C-alpha cells in the first residue's frame, strides 16, 4: 500500500496463511529435478562457491515455491523483468510436466509479459548493474519504506547516461 497499491482494487493477504502455497510447492517439488534447480542463474550467483555445494536447500528450492505462488492463482500472463524470465520459464516447465505426469490440464501454463522500458531497473549508483535489495549500498536502490525526501535525494544522486 505504501507504493500505491489500492486495497479497494487489490486483494492483500499473508502468504503463509494460505496452506495451498506450501502444499503445491511440495507437489511441484516431487517432479522437479535437482539439475533443473542448479541451472537457475540466481542460485549460481548466490551460492558462495558458484556450484551450490555450500548453499541451503531453501535457496535451491525457492524457484519451486515461486512457481507454486504463480500457478496457484491460474494466471494467464505474469509480468516479469529480465531477471525473472528464467523463473517463469521454470514455472511453465513445471506446469507442463505436472499436467503430463498426471494426465491433466489442471495447471495453466502462463505467458510472460515483459515491458521493455522497465524490464531491467538499474542501480542508482552504478548504471551498469541492476537494482538489487541485496546490494550493500543503501543508496543504490529505492526501498519500500524510504521516506519521500530520501527517495528524491537518491534519485538526484543517481548515475545517468549523459546522452
Amino acid at each position: 500500500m505504501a507504493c500505491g497499491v489500492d486495497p479497494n482494487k487489490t486483494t492483500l493477504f499473508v502468504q503463509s496463511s494460505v496452506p495451498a502455497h506450501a502444499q503445491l510447492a511440495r507437489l511441484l517439488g516431487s517432479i522437479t529435478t535437482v539439475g533443473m534447480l542448479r541451472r537457475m542463474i540466481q542460485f549460481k550467483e548466490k551460492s558462495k562457491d558458484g556450484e551450490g555445494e555450500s548453499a541451503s536447500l531453501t535457496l535451491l528450492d525457492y524457484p519451486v515455491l515461486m512457481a507454486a505462488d504463480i500457478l496457484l492463482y491460474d494466471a494467464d500472463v505474469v509480468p516479469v523483468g529480465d531477471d525473472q524470465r528464467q523463473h517463469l520459464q521454470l514455472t511453465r516447465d513445471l506446469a507442463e510436466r505436472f499436467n503430463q505426469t498426471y494426465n491433466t490440464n489442471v495447471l495453466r501454463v502462463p505467458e510472460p509479459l515483459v515491458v521493455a522500458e522497465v524490464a531491467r531497473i538499474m542501480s542508482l549508483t552504478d548504471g551498469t548493474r541492476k537494482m538489487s535489495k541485496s546490494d550493500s549500498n543503501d543508496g543504490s536502490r529505492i526501498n519500500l519504506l524510504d521516506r519521500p525526501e530520501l527517495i528524491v535525494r537518491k534519485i538526484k544522486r543517481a548515475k545517468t547516461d549523459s546522452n
Side-chain angles (χ1 to χ4, degrees), residues 122-127 129 135 137 139-141 157-159:
M122 305 313 283
S123 166
L124 297 175
T125 56
D126 180 352
R129 295 176 46 218
D135 190 320
N137 183 349
S140 70
R141 64 186 173 273
R157 290 181 182 163
K159 304 274 185 192

Side-chain angles (χ1 to χ4, degrees), residues 59-103:
L59 181 60
L60 182 66
D61 195 43
Y62 177 73
V64 178
L65 178 60
M66 183 185 285
D69 294 344
I70 293 167
L71 295 172
L72 189 61
Y73 296 97
D74 211 23
D76 291 317
V77 177
V78 178
V80 292
D82 276 337
D83 60 336
Q84 294 297 315
R85 285 179 194 249
Q86 188 183 36
H87 281 284
L88 187 60
Q89 186 56 53
L90 177 70
T91 300
R92 292 171 49 79
D93 293 345
L94 291 177
E96 289 171 349
R97 182 178 274 205
F98 183 93
N99 289 340
Q100 273 186 326
T101 300
Y102 298 106
N103 196 28

Side-chain angles (χ1 to χ4, degrees), residues 4-82:
V5 174
D6 185 346
N8 295 317
K9 296 179 181 178
T10 307
T11 301
L12 300 173
F13 62 94
V14 177
Q15 177 188 9
S16 60
S17 69
V18 181
H21 287 268
Q23 292 165 346
L24 182 55
R26 182 74 173 164
L27 287 172
L28 293 174
S30 71
I31 60 166
T32 306
T33 67
V34 172
M36 293 167 78
L37 297 174
R38 288 177 67 109
R39 286 190 290 275
M40 299 298 289
I41 293 166
Q42 284 144 333
F43 174 73
K44 289 179 183 179
E45 288 175 354
K46 291 181 179 179
S47 59
K48 293 180 181 99
D49 57 14
E51 296 297 320
E53 294 301 319
S54 61
S56 70
L57 175 60
T58 301
L59 181 60
L60 182 66
D61 195 43
Y62 177 73
V64 178
L65 178 60
M66 183 185 285
D69 294 344
I70 293 167
L71 295 172
L72 189 61
Y73 296 97
D74 211 23
D76 291 317
V77 177
V78 178
V80 292
D82 276 337

